[in-house]
Structure formats: structure tokens, C-alpha cells
Amino acid sequence: MPGTNFSQPMLKEGALDGKVILITGGGTGLGKSMGKYFAQLGANLIITSRKIDVLEKTANEIEKETGKTVLPVKCDVTSYEQIENLLKQSLEKFNKVDTLVNNAAGNFISPTERLSHRAFDIIVNIVLKGTYYSTLAFGKHWIKEKQPASILNIVTTYAWTGSAYVVPSAVAKAGVLSLTRSLAVEWAKYKIRFNAIAPGLFPTKGAWERLLPGNIFEKFNLAKKIPVGRTGEHQELANLAAYLVSDFSSFVNGEVITIDGGEWLKGAGQFNMLEEIPSQMWDEIEKAVKNVKGS
Ligand code: HXC
Ligand code: NAP
């Protein structure tokens, strides 16, 4: 549509009316941005993480802005007991949960040989174990209650490419992607739907401080790695997430949707470096190639 800005809200008003959506890691960054938009669209929220003060601040902010109810619950997703308590508190407050967004994560850059086994564990425990613990606890509840539901997992593009220097995160996100695709089939009979989003670079304090400290972003000219020439806007991700948790996406199941401006494909295509060739050189190149005779 001419004049439409990509950073505007996309879904129609009331698109998530009546839904209760739980977002792990919902007090900060992308979790907070998704939550705010879900509430604007009519959902009530439960947001969780390890820091109750951060959660309460975010909950107040979203409640004030949207008039919806936001329940902050302190919960470390690496503890099954705490997740069971989270489920109990959520049901006491809202009677039901429709959607779980597994967004909580831990990550930092490091050469793998510098990591202790505890450092490896902490990332895998938050990202992979945290996701399958929440999935299992909520899934068992939904199956028992015969309640249709959906799960949205936040992964990364290196879930399938792998990546140096963030190996525990890459291993864990690959597991989350596999969990998404596996249960999308197995639990479809219970009307539980699974999808994932693989974001590219979206500026957040949590990610930037741990993955791009100092001037790494500028030093490696990372915006240039992205074909569309910019990082993502939180609203763009929130728009996609809102669609995937809404009933409009009922036939989308087991999908991972990449939202990265073409970044990972640029790194993958064998001849993508030819982008660097100035357009005037293509005449010479064409002539040289056409002059090749025989085999
Ligand atoms: C090497 C490190 C380290 C580092 C911690 N450790 N940081 N090792 N280099 N930079 C080691 C510690 O020495 C310790 O091992 C073990 O890891 C646990 O560290 P703690 O500090 O005790 O853990 P904790 O306080 O629980 O903190 C967890 C954390 C922290 C993951 C380390 O960063 C955190 O709380 N992160 C949450 C938010 C986050 O990471 N957000 C970014 C998500 S971005 P020893 O052996 O000494 O006991 C993301 C984007 C992906 O995922 C794609 C981007 C494009
Ligand atoms: P963020 O703000 O640091 O978000 C991570 C959240 O996880 C925090 O709120 C943190 O809160 C919570 N968390 C960490 N450990 C936890 C635990 N044990 N139990 C419960 N909650 C825990 O970073 P972000 O950039 O918004 O990341 C959000 C998601 O997007 C992550 O899954 C990340 O991998 C993904 N992602 C981000 C980017 C990007 O460019 N930003 C790119 C690709 C993928 P506490 O510290 O309070 O626990």
C-alpha cells in the first residue's frame, strides 16, 4: 500500500481479544515489544523472567498504555518446579492460557575453548531446557483439559546454519527448532499448534551488550551484511508474532519464519560477493566471458 510504513502496527484492532498469552523473558527487549503489541490487540498477558522488579515495571507500563491485565511472575525457566508454579499462578489469575511464547534466552560471544562446562550448561539450560520444560508443563495441562493452544518459539537463523563463537546458543536453538517441527506433527491431534520465528539483527540491550559489545557493530559494518541495509524494527517482529499467535494463522503449523532482511542467505550464496563489483565492470566481465571458446 503506498505510504504504509513497515514499522506500523499491522493486524486489525481486537485481533487478539479474549486471548491469554504467556511470554517468557517478557520484561525486556523483543519479549516486551511483542507483549505490548499483543495487549494493544486485546490480549491479557503473563510475563516471566528471573527479575521481578523488571517484570513489574514492564507490566505497569503495558497495563497503563493498553488497559489490559499483565501478570508478572518471577520464574527461572531452568527449574521445572518454578514452571509448574507459573502455570498454577497463571490459571489462578486467568483460568486459562491460550499461547506460550518461548522467548527467554541467554547468550554471549566467546571462543568455545574458553568456556567452562558450566558456561555451556547455563546457555543450553535457559534456551533448550527452558523451552522444553515450559512446553511440557503447559502441553500436559492443555492435553488434559482438551484446550486448543499454540506455542511460538523464538530461535535464530544460526539454528540451521550453526555459528562460530556462540556455539552453546547455536546448539540450543537448533534443538528448539527441532522441538517445534516435531511437536507440530505429534500434538496437532490435540489442537496444539507450533511455530517459530528466526529474527536477524534487532537492536536490544540484552543482545547488544553480550554479542556486539563496544564498537563491534560498526567495526564489522554489520548493517552491510544485511541486504536491505538496516537492522529490524521491533514492531516488524511484533507484527509477525501477533499473526502467528492469532487465529488467522490456524493453518500455519511447524513453520519457522525468518525475519532478517536476507542476512543469512547473503552469507550462504556462493556468488553473493559479486555485489561488490561496480556496475560499470559488468561490460568487461561479459565481454571476457563471451570470448571464452571451447571447453
Ligand atoms: C565466558 C562466561 C561469560 C563470558 C559467563 N560465563 N559469561 N564465560 N565468557 N562472557 C560463565 C561464568 O564464568 C560461569 O561459569 C557460567 O558462565 C555462568 O555464569 P553466571 O554469570 O553465573 O550466570 P548467570 O548469572 O546465570 O547469567 C547467565 C548469562 C547472562 C547467560 C551468563 O548473560 C544472562 O543472564 N543472560 C540473559 C540475557 C541474555 O543473554 N540476553 C541475550 C539474548 S540474545 P563458571 O565456570 O565460572 O562457573 C540472543 C540473540 C541471538 O540470544 C542472535 C543474535 C543475532
Ligand atoms: P533480552 O532482552 O536479553 O531477552 C532475554 C530475556 O530472557 C530477558 O528478559 C531475561 O530476563 C530472560 N531470561 C534469561 N534467562 C532466563 C531464565 N533462566 N528464566 C527466565 N527468563 C530468563 O534479549 P532479546 O534480544 O530481546 O532476546 C529475545 C529473544 O530473541 C531471545 O530468544 C533471543 O535469542 C532472540 N533473538 C534476538 C535477536 C536480536 O537481534 N535481538 C536475534 C535473534 C534471536 P532475566 O534476566 O530477568 O531473567
Side-chain angles (χ1 to χ4, degrees), residues 90-118:
S90 306
L91 295 176
E92 274 165 15
K93 179 76 178 179
F94 296 112
N95 242 342
K96 62 157 190 173
V97 176
D98 299 289
T99 296
L100 166 66
V101 181
N102 285 308
N103 164 79
N107 202 357
F108 51 78
I109 45 169
S110 176
T112 307
E113 67 277 16
R114 289 173 61 99
L115 297 175
S116 68
H117 67 278
R118 282 177 298 274

Side-chain angles (χ1 to χ4, degrees), residues 162-178:
S163 176
Y165 300 101
V166 284
V167 171
S169 171
V171 167
K173 294 285 193 186
V176 174
L177 181 56
S178 180

Side-chain angles (χ1 to χ4, degrees), residues 24-31 48-51 54 75-78 102-107 126 154-157 169 173 198-208 210:
T24 67
T28 64
L30 298 177
T48 77
S49 84
R50 297 164 300 178
K51 300 193 193 88
V54 174
C75 170
D76 183 334
V77 292
T78 66
N102 285 308
N103 164 79
N107 202 357
I126 300 169
I154 307 301
V155 295
T156 67
T157 53
S169 171
K173 294 285 193 186
L201 288 169
F202 283 78
T204 65
K205 190 167 180 292
W208 255 234
R210 293 175 177 89

Side-chain angles (χ1 to χ4, degrees), residues 1 56 98 100 105 139 183 206 221 265 270:
M1 226 181 348
E56 280 170 349
D98 299 289
L100 166 66
L183 286 180
N221 203 352
L265 280 171
Q270 200 160 31

Side-chain angles (χ1 to χ4, degrees), residues 214-276:
N215 67 347
I216 288 190
F217 188 86
E218 292 75 25
K219 185 171 159 48
F220 293 102
N221 203 352
L222 288 183
K224 231 181 138 214
K225 262 184 77 196
I226 307 169
V228 303
R230 64 173 177 86
T231 53
E233 299 248 350
H234 285 210
Q235 184 64 46
E236 292 178 282
L237 184 108
N239 284 339
L240 175 59
Y243 167 67
L244 290 174
V245 300
S246 78
D247 296 337
F248 294 113
S249 63
S250 295
F251 203 51
V252 183
N253 186 31
E255 191 53 80
V256 53
I257 301 185
T258 303
I259 177 164
D260 75 342
E263 182 195 3
W264 87 267
L265 280 171
K266 180 163 180 178
Q270 200 160 31
F271 286 92
N272 288 350
M273 76 292 186
L274 299 185
E275 277 290 303
E276 303 293 323

